[in-house]
Amino acid sequence: NQMAQGNLDVEIEEDLGLFEPLKEQLVRVREGFKKAVDQEVASERTKTELITNVSHDLKTPLTAIITYVNLLKQPGITEEEKNSYIDVLEQKSMRLKALIEDLFEVSKASSGSVSLHLEPVDLVSLIKEVRLELSERIAGCGVDFRWKLPEEKVMVNLDGQRTYRIFENLLVNIMKYAMPGTRAYVNLEQQEGFVVVTLMNISASEISVSPQELMERFVRGDESRNTEGSGLGLAIAKSFTELQEGTMELSLEGDLFRVVLRWKMLGDEA
């Protein structure tokens, strides 16, 4: 009766006599209900934070767009001013577009509606491709990247486009949040039939949330949300990794931020 009325902390201590074998089952029922309630409370809190953060991130570029549209309507503006306003409008519009696309990506990944094109992919070459594409940003971000990649090919059955996005997101995350003047490490190694990619960096600011929370949607390590980004980078990377039967683990040791990706390698027959 107490459990039915919502008291999930009740302890069954007395001897139930004939029904003693049911005690263990009742305890399990109680624990199951308690776990379900805790998960529902956490889910509701996440939904509330999601709405708040989405509203904030979408409103920022949208407000700028409205402001500059109004400036363009002002009489007597010069051609130079007009071109400057248009440049800002283009920048903010692309920012808004990227935010919305990220939102759709993580939504599709969470619902399992992403169609994958799996084929043998050389993970070493793919990481080098991402590094080359981001080379200018990497050179100017103030972080010294150290790469430890094998010379030989490491073949994995993956969707090349989605996997590219995983590493793009993780490297951009380091560039945004790593402490300038420190080193970041990207290591790829083979362990008992698995390929393991480890990315490590020193965080510029103290991270106030847990690793699990960081991989949720629209959560960032900087509570002020001053950095540009949707807060979806890690969530998308984790979803795309797991969709391809891999694992992504995130850990924090003080200010050391570590991400470990793991996939099963293809055999020699590939």
Side-chain angles (χ1 to χ4, degrees):
N1 282 337
Q2 290 184 56
M3 288 169 57
Q5 292 168 14
N7 180 11
L8 299 180
D9 293 318
V10 62
E11 296 287 346
I12 306 174
E13 298 175 349
E14 63 271 22
D15 188 336
L16 299 184
L18 181 63
F19 298 102
E20 182 67 20
L22 292 177
K23 181 188 288 188
E24 184 179 345
Q25 299 299 324
L26 285 170
V27 169
R28 288 182 181 177
V29 168
R30 185 202 67 189
E31 291 175 350
F33 272 124
K34 194 169 184 177
K35 184 177 180 181
V37 169
D38 290 343
Q39 288 176 341
E40 185 62 27
V41 170
S43 176
E44 287 301 317
R45 185 177 68 249
T46 300
K47 288 176 185 176
T48 303
E49 292 173 354
L50 174 64
I51 293 169
T52 301
N53 294 337
V54 170
S55 300
H56 177 279
D57 287 346
L58 294 180
K59 185 179 179 181
T60 302
L62 190 57
T63 301
I65 289 170
I66 293 169
T67 300
Y68 281 91
V69 166
N70 288 331
L71 287 172
L72 280 172
K73 292 178 180 178
Q74 298 299 315
I77 65 171
T78 65
E79 194 67 25
E80 184 179 354
E81 287 174 327
K82 184 186 292 183
N83 291 334
S84 173
Y85 297 160
I86 290 173
D87 286 343
V88 175
L89 280 171
E90 181 181 24
Q91 177 190 350
K92 297 301 179 181
S93 298
M94 294 306 293
R95 169 92 183 105
L96 194 59
K97 179 174 179 283
L99 281 168
I100 293 170
E101 286 177 347
D102 278 357
L103 181 58
F104 276 115
E105 285 280 18
V106 78
S107 177
K108 287 192 298 182
S110 297
S111 64
S113 60
V114 175
S115 56
L116 297 175
H117 178 60
L118 299 175
E119 59 183 357
V121 170
D122 176 14
L123 203 53
V124 177
S125 295
L126 187 141
I127 292 175
K128 288 180 178 178
E129 183 183 342
V130 180
R131 179 177 66 182
L132 181 62
E133 185 67 26
L134 297 174
S135 57
E136 286 189 17
R137 292 181 64 180
I138 289 173
C141 72
V143 178
D144 182 11
F145 277 79
R146 300 295 177 92
W147 307 83
K148 187 179 179 182
L149 305 172
E151 295 296 326
E152 70 274 10
K153 292 182 178 182
V154 177
M155 304 303 295
V156 186
N157 199 40
L158 297 170
D159 181 311
Q161 182 182 353
R162 306 293 181 186
T163 309
Y164 185 101
R165 182 70 185 279
I166 291 170
F167 288 104
E168 180 183 40
N169 285 4
L170 294 176
L171 292 174
V172 168
N173 192 70
I174 291 175
M175 288 186 274
K176 284 180 181 176
Y177 298 112
M179 180 179 290
T182 60
R183 288 181 288 274
Y185 296 87
V186 182
N187 301 332
L188 188 153
E189 56 186 342
Q190 302 170 51
Q191 297 178 359
E192 300 177 349
F194 287 85
V195 55
V196 180
V197 183
T198 305
L199 302 93
M200 295 181 290
N201 67 274
I202 300 297
S203 175
S205 57
E206 184 178 357
I207 299 175
S208 57
V209 296
S210 69
Q212 291 73 27
E213 289 176 302
L214 273 175
M215 289 188 287
E216 294 291 338
R217 306 176 194 179
F218 285 90
V219 174
R220 299 192 206 158
D222 63 325
E223 292 184 341
S224 61
R225 304 181 70 80
N226 288 327
T227 54
E228 282 226 340
S230 63
L232 289 169
L234 292 176
I236 290 173
K238 184 173 187 291
S239 295
F240 284 176
T241 301
E242 293 177 348
L243 280 171
Q244 299 180 93
E245 298 183 356
T247 62
M248 174 174 151
E249 297 176 359
L250 193 156
S251 63
L252 296 168
E253 298 173 27
D255 292 328
L256 177 63
F257 185 87
R258 180 188 285 111
V259 177
V260 180
L261 303 162
R262 183 187 296 266
W263 284 284
K264 189 171 180 59
M265 293 172 53
L266 286 174
D268 294 335
E269 69 276 3

